[in-house]
Amino acid sequence: MMNHLKKGMLLALAAIMLLTAGCGAGETAPTTEPEQNVASAADTAPVEDVVQAWMTPIYGSSLKDGTYSVTVDSSSSMFSITQCELTVENGEMTAVMHMGGTGYLHVYMGTAQAAAEAGEEAYIPYEEAADGTHSFTVPVEALDAGISCAAYSKKKELWYDRTLVFRADSLPMEAFQDGAFATAQSLGLEDGSYTVEVRLEGGSGKASVESPAKLRVEGGQAYATLVWSSSNYDYMKVNDQKFDPVNTEGNATFEIPVAAFDWKVPVLADTTAMSTPHEIEYTLYFDSATIVKAE
């Protein structure tokens, strides 16, 4: 009987071993998701919000064909664009972005996650300049709008999310089609005297101009009288035209043409407050909704 018991135990043990072996052979080894090579928040430098509340997208149809120097704001100081040329052709825009170094091998117009999932044929490769720095030629959907651009780091081998804004206010006024912005004529302003709210931006943020400002319309052209918060400005430039003060005492006062309303008009003002005279970049925004006929 003992022999029968041993024989039964051996048969049961063999059956268990066969069953275990069969289960093991049929199992699939655990798998992990493929690495996406996307930078995490811990890998990313502080992000700056470069899309301003006042911005309205400007499309290529509002611009004349040509090539223009344009300023590009980047959400990351690690993705520094030192110079950029914008080309407009039949309403389509492309830009050549010149980088400050060689740290990026590709860019992708979209998010870092989308770039990691896309094929290499979708990537935009760098072009090498004579000084060894890299540049990228990219499509531009609109000015004054946040555009997603993923950048692939050569050192980290990771895709990084960037937001770019191609600044419309960095283009010359002559780059825009007629009707792209409001003028005294398009607003139907008759010759005469008015006031208008004006907002100054730029510089150190310490300077200001009186608002509302006096507005004079003559022959369909508007002129604003700007009274600065300082006497230390000896000239201004608007569209490369130089204007001297209209006063000799008190805070510096200038009468300048208003090229556009409801638009950040770039101007230069030369200050004598520093050790040497220095031209400072500002923008002036004349709000057409606040224009009032002077009594």
Side-chain angles (χ1 to χ4, degrees):
M1 182 172 179
M2 184 64 68
N3 289 336
H4 287 295
L5 181 59
K6 287 182 178 180
K7 184 177 180 180
M9 292 177 64
L10 290 172
L11 289 172
L13 180 60
I16 292 172
M17 291 177 68
L18 286 171
L19 180 62
T20 303
C23 291
E27 290 177 353
T28 302
T31 60
T32 58
E33 290 295 322
E35 186 179 357
Q36 292 295 310
N37 294 333
V38 176
S40 66
D43 298 315
T44 306
V47 177
E48 180 183 354
D49 186 3
V50 290
V51 182
Q52 307 299 319
W54 54 265
M55 289 180 169
T56 300
I58 305 295
Y59 298 96
S61 57
S62 296
L63 299 173
K64 298 175 183 176
D65 285 1
T67 299
Y68 311 97
S69 177
V70 64
T71 298
V72 187
D73 292 340
S74 169
S75 62
S76 173
S77 60
M78 302 302 291
F79 193 75
S80 175
I81 300 163
T82 59
Q83 185 180 341
C84 185
E85 294 89 36
L86 179 77
T87 297
V88 183
E89 187 174 355
N90 297 325
E92 300 294 325
M93 297 186 291
T94 58
V96 180
M97 304 188 303
H98 301 273
M99 312 305 297
T102 60
Y104 297 96
L105 298 181
H106 312 282
V107 297
Y108 174 86
M109 304 314 289
T111 65
Q113 186 64 45
E117 295 171 356
E120 189 169 346
E121 66 278 1
Y123 303 158
I124 299 172
Y126 71 86
E127 298 173 20
E128 187 171 332
D131 61 359
T133 57
H134 291 178
S135 67
F136 297 94
T137 301
V138 300
V140 178
E141 180 181 358
L143 309 180
D144 283 1
I147 297 176
S148 295
C149 177
Y152 187 76
S153 168
K154 175 173 65 176
K155 180 178 180 181
K156 298 292 185 66
E157 297 185 345
L158 294 173
W159 285 101
Y160 286 82
D161 277 314
R162 309 299 188 208
T163 299
L164 305 179
V165 174
F166 294 82
R167 296 288 297 262
D169 59 10
S170 66
L171 299 184
M173 300 299 291
E174 56 267 23
F176 295 87
Q177 299 277 10
D178 293 340
F181 40 78
T183 64
Q185 288 185 328
S186 70
L187 293 170
L189 296 179
E190 298 178 351
D191 286 3
S193 299
Y194 304 81
T195 62
V196 62
E197 296 285 345
V198 57
R199 184 173 71 246
L200 176 78
E201 292 184 5
S204 65
K206 297 179 181 179
S208 62
V209 295
E210 288 186 6
S211 183
K214 291 181 180 180
L215 186 70
R216 177 174 64 88
V217 177
E218 183 178 343
Q221 172 63 57
Y223 302 87
T225 299
L226 295 178
V227 181
W228 289 79
S229 56
S230 166
S231 61
N232 298 317
Y233 293 96
D234 60 350
Y235 66 82
M236 289 184 65
K237 286 183 179 179
V238 183
N239 286 338
D240 292 327
Q241 186 177 357
K242 185 178 177 181
F243 296 89
D244 295 321
V246 296
N247 63 329
T248 56
E249 296 182 355
N251 288 354
T253 303
F254 299 84
E255 186 180 63
I256 63 170
V258 179
F261 293 90
D262 307 328
W263 188 270
K264 286 197 172 185
V265 179
V267 300
L268 293 174
D270 190 72
T271 179
T272 58
M274 303 179 184
S275 56
T276 57
H278 185 71
E279 288 185 349
I280 301 177
E281 295 180 351
Y282 295 100
T283 61
L284 293 168
Y285 185 92
F286 297 92
D287 187 352
S288 68
T290 66
I291 297 174
V292 177
K293 183 77 173 179
E295 297 180 359

